[in-house]
Amino acid sequence: MDKEQFIRTVAQEQESLRRFLRVLCGGDSFRADDIAQEALLKAYLSFEKFQGRAKFSTWLFRIAYNCWYDSARTSSAREVVSLDEVGSDRPDDSADAAAGFQRQDLRLAVSALSEAERIVVLLFYMEDKTVKDIEAITGMPSGTVRSHLSRARKHLREYLDRLGYGRP
Amino acid sequence: MADDKEIRKFIKSGAPDVGDSGRFMKDLERQIDLLPVPASLAGRGKERCGDEAAAILAMAKSRKLQNGVMSAAIAVVAVAVFAVVFVILQTIPHFEEFIRTYSVYVMSGFSVVVVCSVLLSLRHISI
């Protein structure tokens, strides 16, 4: 792969990556795009580390996940970083946050999950990643991924049933 | 109770819209242009490896051919020498008796001649 091919491939993957990061960042598109850009530049500079054993998109997601994780742990002053506050019903101060989600239901639903469950659910249902992909992205063993997925499904089902989702 | 399909539909329908991909990619390309191109994306590494591998294969093929020709030449020489000896054996009676009496020495000498020929020919092969 050369530089132009890298850019073309990244152009195909960036939307999915940014969407995932945007949800993790509680709808803050500026922060999500910052992290996405950081991750893609890291991927560009360390391309020799991509050995081709996993899919390219999985490798990009792994870098992006690590960048988000580092950012979330070091930036404790920001409101959106506080994962508990993501779960609150307070109006978000970020001008972008309301538009960040098509539906506030989703935001509230995923915010009720634990951090690990949230990440697994977003990768599995929103980005259509397999358990093996999620294992490679997050570093969690596949048994742990399945366990989080199972618990998250249970919580989401209860939430959707309360909303009356899917009922005619 | 909501099933897996409904959960997926709910999450996908509520996912944020990430438009303005053009602006994002433009920014990213601008930043990438400021950075040095890594060797793994320069294309030089693979090309050079490819050229070197091709050169090594060509040399190996050439050596193999040379060795094959040499071996064939030695075999022909050995057969020719043997044929000459055989003819002498048939035509000169005393010689035939001499060969029969000293057959072991004759065969050993013949083998030494063949081995020496081969070893001498190897000296001329250079890498």
Side-chain angles (χ1 to χ4, degrees), chain A residues 18 37 100 102 125 128 153, chain B residues 4 8 12 15-16 20 31:
Chain A
R18 288 165 64 212
Q37 219 168 63
Q102 300 284 17
Y125 288 112
D128 298 322
R153 270 191 196 116
Chain B
D4 228 42
R8 193 179 292 274
K12 280 186 182 283
D20 71 348
Q31 298 217 32

Side-chain angles (χ1 to χ4, degrees), chain A residues 135-153:
Chain A
E135 189 184 355
I137 291 167
T138 61
M140 288 186 228
S142 59
T144 308
V145 170
R146 285 180 212 281
S147 168
H148 286 315
L149 206 51
S150 172
R151 276 202 295 275
R153 270 191 196 116

Side-chain angles (χ1 to χ4, degrees), chain B residues 33-47:
Chain B
D33 285 341
L34 296 173
L35 296 170
V37 181
S40 50
L41 287 170
R44 267 183 280 122
K46 268 194 185 167
E47 273 175 22

Side-chain angles (χ1 to χ4, degrees), chain A residues 1-3 14-15 18 22-23 33 37 41 44 48 100 102-103 106 121 124-126 128 153 157 161, chain B residues 1-2 4 8 10-21 23 27 31-33 37-38 40-41:
Chain A
M1 194 185 279
D2 60 15
K3 180 181 160 186
Q14 54 84 24
E15 195 176 308
R18 288 165 64 212
R22 197 170 286 194
V23 178
D33 281 358
Q37 219 168 63
L41 289 172
Y44 175 74
E48 77 279 0
Q102 300 284 17
R103 293 161 51 151
L106 174 63
V121 154
F124 189 80
Y125 288 112
M126 196 169 74
D128 298 322
R153 270 191 196 116
R157 279 188 189 126
D161 286 344
Chain B
M1 190 176 247
D4 228 42
R8 193 179 292 274
F10 169 73
I11 288 176
K12 280 186 182 283
S13 68
D17 176 39
V18 284
D20 71 348
S21 296
R23 180 202 55 80
D27 275 348
Q31 298 217 32
I32 283 177
D33 285 341
V37 181
S40 50
L41 287 170

Side-chain angles (χ1 to χ4, degrees), chain B residues 96-118:
Chain B
E96 188 185 342
E97 196 182 320
F98 174 81
I99 293 293
R100 212 178 284 121
T101 310
Y102 301 102
S103 61
V104 173
Y105 302 107
V106 168
M107 290 300 181
S108 304
F110 178 74
S111 302
V112 164
V113 164
V114 170
V115 169
C116 285
S117 305
V118 169

